[in-house]
Amino acid sequence: MATRPFSRPQSAVVARANDWSNWVEVAVQFSGFPTNTSTKDIWNVFRNEGEILTIELFDDHNGNPSGRGRIRFSPPPAVAFWLRTPYEAVLEGTKGIVPLTLKLLARKRDFLSPSLVDPRKRYPEVMILTAESLDFGFMHEPTTMMGMFRTTSSLLSPVTLRLDLLHREIVVGFDVTFMNPRMPTKVGPGPSQNKEEYTRTESYTFVMPLAQAAIVHQVNMGSKSALLFSLETPPNFYRKVNESVTHTEAPFWSRRYALFRQTDITFNPLKLRAVPLALKKTKPTIDIGRWTTYHFLFDITKTNRGLYDTVCSALRDFNIEILPISAFRLTTNRDLAVWGYIDQPLRRSKTKNRTALDDLMAEDVPPLSFPVRYQLEVCISQGLLNEHNLTKEFVDKLMSLEAAKAQDLLEYVANRKQRVYNPIEIFDIKIIKGSASRLKIPHYCTYVRSATVTPSTIYFSTPTIETSNRVIRQYSEHADRFLRVRFTDEKFQGKLNATEGESMNEIYTRVKRALNNGITIGERHFEYLASGNSQFREHGAYFFCPLAHLGVADIRRWMGDFQDIKVIARYAARLGQCFSTTRAINGSKVDIVEIPDIVNGKYNFTDGVGKISKFLAQVAASEVGVKMPSGEPPSVFQFRLGGAKGVLTVSPDARLREIHLRSSQYKFHAIHSGLEIIRWSQFSAAHLNRQLILVLSALGVPDRVFADKLKNQLSNLAQAMVDETIALTLLQKEIDPNQMTLTLAGMILEGFQRVQEPFMLSLLHLWRAWSIKYLKEKAKIVIHEGAVLLGCVDETQTLRGHYENLQHLRTHPVEEERIKSLPEVFVQLSKGNNDKAQIMLGPMLLARNPSLHPGDIRVVYGVDQPKLRHLRDVVVLPQTGDRDVAHMCSGGDLDGDDYLICWDRDLLPTEWNYEPMIYTPDEQPKKVNGNVTTDDITTFFVNYMKNDLLPRIAHAHLATADYLPKGVKEEKCVKLASHHSCAVDYPKTGVPAKIPRSLHPRMWPHFMEKRHKPKDQIYVSKKVLGQLYDLVERVDFVPELEAPFDARILGAYNLDSQILREAAEIKAIYDAAMHRIMAQHEIRTEHEVWSTFVLQHANQSKDFKFHEEMGAISASLKDRFRAACYEKAGGTEFAKIGPFVAAMYRVTSDEHIHALEECRQARSIGGKEVRVRQRLAMNMPLMSFPWLFSGILGKIANGEPTARQGIVNGFASKTSGQPKKPGVKRKSEEVTLDGEGDTLRTTEGLVHRGELLRLFVEADQPHEAASKIMTEVAASSSASEYLHDKVGEAEYLSKDSMRIPKAESLALKSAPQLEKADDTTQPHTPSLRTLIDFGVADKVHKEVDVVTQLQSNFIGNIRPKFAGSLLDFDFGNDCQEDELKSLPPINSGQDHSQPPAIDLLSLEDIPDRPAASPQYFPRIGSDMRIESPPVERHSDEGALASTGASEWAQLGDMVMKHDCDISDPSVVVTDGDGTNRPSVSYRGHGVGGLGVVGKADLMLALKDEGMVEEKVVLNLDDKPSLLERLALLSEE
């Protein structure tokens, strides 16, 4: 029989203070043990004296074991054994008998807890009730519990309910006797010789935090009373084991170490090891993950009635609501679950025409399609539906629905988050047609199904949108067969933390079981594939459901050749490299140039950094949609390219399509060779943290400096809530990684703070609460004179590095001399204090997180280096010196590390450049013999979970540095920093870090909030971090619910019912998607999701990582629903989207007003008046929907004229972004490239880098018509809206036009002829509007009647990517049918039965080419149809069309000195009745992404690449240029 823990009931009566036998616990101090004594030795000595609670060994003042310590008993021992003098301890082995000195320690507290309601009322900290029985089950109906297992009390096996007010939890103890039906005779505990057949009794415990049991129902039945706990999530279950096997080398032991976490309570757990994981468990004794209702029955006649009443009173006073429940029923009539019917395949029914053989050969058909089955398991796993409530009728009705409708219905149930007891009722739910899962999503995203595996169960989540990775893109047609899995602790407990000892082994066994055996959902079985690198650290992995022709081994083979990698951890990391979240630069075939690394001894100065041409950088920037303040592409990209990784720096050394890679960037050989972008260089605000503050404080920065900065930040945050100027200043300086503060600043500029708009006010208060939260918890103090930037290397070799022979100068009393010892860096910000580019000069700090060693923060010297001025928003580090600077910053490198750079003189320490730590591992990674196997990888996965001590080491370092006088310079701290470095590298080396006993902290500062530690181990820190912690008071975030919506927007339009209904439909789908994200990540409000300022979440990722993840999630949500709104509005131009956004705002306002009215109304329920709706954020309608278009809302609010209704806020309407009036006609425009490379000289003067270059003639009426077309198309570019207002669509050439949509062909449609000008004699009247719609032909105007397929080959085979992008152009002069007939063949030997070819451009003969001939721009009337058969590409690049060049050729003249096709369309002209006409084949060379040609920046870039001459003449020939038509490439 196992010993019952905590078995002595505690009386509610408080005993005398000096009566130790009635204390809750007794503490005895001992001394005299040998210094090598372990906690197990001490346990063996004192185990017969009583029930030991804890054992603690003390160190001497040098941190060495002293043989002294303390032992605690609870309940107190039966006799006062400490009175024996001396106490002779018998030690095992050769230690013999040791005389000890014992002393009873005075009681430091009275073990009473004051009531939270009335502090004068006090309860015993621990009270224990014994129950007659305990039932496990679930609520089958609102007042009916279905009991699935019952255990009863006996004299030796009592069922106990222990209320622990100190730890705010309820601890339940019970025994389970497992009887083997083939062995009726009971035997003792433990397995028999045959492990398959044994009978035993096990002692179990489960712990319910009081916060988890918010409501308890009480059932009174005369002499008996029952307490009913119904939990939403399972508590932690433990099995009691022999205490002797639970001791480790640690100097502390607790009785809780003998409680081993459980995943299953079943007769034979060994059988589970070969079974896949599934939601439905096979014959469990107790399903601890899903039977989460507990019924305790108490016999009041046998139980101390006073104690029972005291426990109930204490529960009430500690916020546990005890409600009487009438008509309660406990049933054990267990309805059969519907699994058998759901899982039973349906066979095709017999028919008269079918034979018996046909039926035998017929395939089984699952009754539910997988998407529906999966969504059903989502609802069941989340506790919203229970399989015992599901009936055959329910399943039949679900099967009768269309799969899409059934999925929508179940998604609605999942998003609503309410338990459904009668599932048939869900078919009466009226949901708006359509589902978020079928809305168009951004091309770089994918839907991902996910599972969260906890110790006791598994939760499935509704598919969510995530940025894709290389593997899912490659197998996109099988995207629904990928499953993202994360292994966590029980719900709301976050990540599984590593533990010493064996107490978590069953959990790790369950993880290994899932990795080995897979996960089953319905008819699909998912197998382990691999883990992304960041995913691995968060205990996640991808699983894949194999097909007959595609398995996980096939996918791994495609990923790369890893056979040369013999270190298991490195092998897993290289697999994970393929799962990095990336944006593919589609079609960007690059030329790789290998260059050497710069190495000095054992230090690699260029580890992870390569080069990229400016042209490819521009392509990549356009693809990912980044817009830098300078107009230039980002200076550095973090990337993946096949098996290479790291960063690429824009460099003039790389030309055209070149990427220069170093050997340090190659990790493995891969088939995939496309360029992928992870992120890019940009400015992010710098912040201090606890680690940096500790190091800077140890290096001489006074405490008052940190305190002053903190006080100033708190004051500014408070003033920003009422002062727009201060708010704008802070938001534009304290830029978060997702740059949401800039969005808030834009909203303030639009006047939304001034009018007290509720959503804007809520965001502002959330930002303040978020900032204060991290000030309190992390000391995250903003550094206004600093930045966080990507690092790269100085490729020019001009910056001075770190030299050891100069380090003697670092202590020189004269600063000018000390500066000579500093390595140099180059830092140029895109926007300095004057909103212009600024180079930072002088001494500054350079650091990298985490920084634990005093040498991790380096003092460097900022210089101006003209050769590096093309680099912005990066830290350029030297490649010269004795040791690379990056490695001195916490062992960093340049493969994507962020660096904190700070030029704030107040933070410059008095001690410069403490000797850096040598970041070399003590133990080399172990290699395997042969090839690494999947079992090797999964075993390492589990071992990492068990041995990842990184958080524990970081906490130990923080506590030790604060406690000891010299802080981070203490020897203990230096050792902990070394162990921390080992723990950081553990995922790559496979070598785990270990914390020696001597480095375990004994005391913890109050600011670390170690609430679970004994109070005598907590001290109030008076050092800098303690001071900062005490200066900050947390602020609760309460959304603004009362303020009225903005009247400027509500009164802007007269909106009809149809547009309001359409807006309401999309809002309903949006709200469901938002609720889904909130539920998945356990986020309380929509404001946190929208802004990414999340206060609390599921703790599945670290806060800084989660902020980045939430940025991607929020962005994809916004992109998806913006696209849906554009489609519903009928376009992206302001005249169409403006009214729709106003309707979105009106619908949201109306819902909110209605909800507020319900909050003021009351209704009678059971004779009690209650509010119809509680005024809480969780009960109110969502309001973020219209703020998908914050810029549009700003335009409407500030009186932007519109064209839909004619009147907007009293202003006369006009077309948004009216084109400028025509200018003077010119035959040609000269463009001269200045030698300096920063300007272009035109006939109108100089055009500087970043400015617009006007290459187009603006003539009279016909050209205004052309401009109108351009305006309509340009207005559809959401990325261009802001600049449209500034410069007008007609001459604005969107930088986004470099985004080239993905499609093998372009669907060309021709609309009917545009209106002609009154003066028909005027030449070149645009007679045709032709829309090129990339991949989405059905979205072009319905009246189109001309279809052409254009095979397109852009620069470097860069193919179009963005679906729905539009080009607008016309074919120039009229061309009659007889002109088409007269087109001559060029090659005399050509087959005239095929379309004749006309080459438009010869690179060798550009100067001699005649001017453009108008007849080769045929006008194609609305009665003509153009069709295109596939044709081979033209190979004769030297052939010259004798008829002259076209505008395509002019374009080629202007920008190309490179062999690249712009297009090679083949057109067959057919008249309206289908009669064939002679056809024309256009082939030539040109540039992809044509819209950017009009930018001075690209012209200069092309000049840098040698792709244009010093002087180019454009012959525009007095007509609208084709280039003008192609100049505006809009983004959907």
Side-chain angles (χ1 to χ4, degrees), residues 129-187:
L129 294 175
T130 300
E132 183 177 286
S133 64
L134 167 61
D135 287 278
F136 297 82
F138 52 86
M139 297 305 292
H140 189 258
E141 296 174 1
T143 59
T144 301
M145 173 185 173
M146 181 176 286
M148 304 298 288
F149 179 84
R150 173 176 292 179
T151 181
T152 57
S153 282
S154 66
L155 185 61
L156 297 178
S157 300
V159 176
T160 58
L161 186 150
R162 183 176 190 263
L163 176 60
D164 186 340
L165 296 178
L166 175 64
H167 298 101
R168 306 287 177 88
E169 63 189 17
I170 296 171
V171 182
V172 178
F174 64 98
D175 288 347
V176 176
T177 299
F178 299 92
M179 298 295 295
N180 188 331
R182 291 172 292 179
M183 294 182 63
T185 303
K186 181 179 179 181
V187 299

Side-chain angles (χ1 to χ4, degrees), residues 943-974:
N943 286 336
Y944 175 79
M945 292 180 66
K946 185 175 182 179
N947 299 300
D948 176 23
L949 298 180
L950 184 64
R952 186 178 302 177
I953 296 173
H955 278 218
H957 181 273
L958 181 61
T960 305
D962 186 83
Y963 186 69
L964 298 179
K966 293 192 294 183
V968 297
K969 292 183 177 179
E970 293 280 351
E971 182 182 358
K972 278 191 173 183
C973 289
V974 173

Side-chain angles (χ1 to χ4, degrees), residues 585 588 590 611-626 628 631-637 648-651 654 656-659 675 677 680 1295 1298 1358 1498 1501 1505:
I585 311 302
S588 57
V590 299
K611 305 175 187 178
I612 185 173
S613 71
K614 187 174 181 181
F615 177 74
L616 278 182
Q618 185 73 280
V619 172
S622 299
E623 169 60 37
V624 299
V626 60
M628 306 304 292
E632 296 287 312
S635 298
V636 170
F637 293 88
L648 298 172
T649 305
V650 176
S651 171
L656 303 176
R657 301 192 301 259
E658 286 182 356
I659 286 180
L675 176 63
I677 301 300
W680 48 89
K1295 195 172 82 173
M1298 201 61 171
I1358 300 173
L1498 184 63
E1505 303 295 348

Side-chain angles (χ1 to χ4, degrees), residues 510-534:
R510 176 175 167 85
V511 174
K512 178 65 172 173
R513 172 187 160 196
L515 296 172
N516 281 359
N517 305 332
I519 296 174
T520 298
I521 308 173
E523 76 277 10
R524 290 193 180 184
H525 179 71
F526 294 83
E527 299 176 3
Y528 169 77
L529 176 60
S531 299
N533 292 329
S534 60

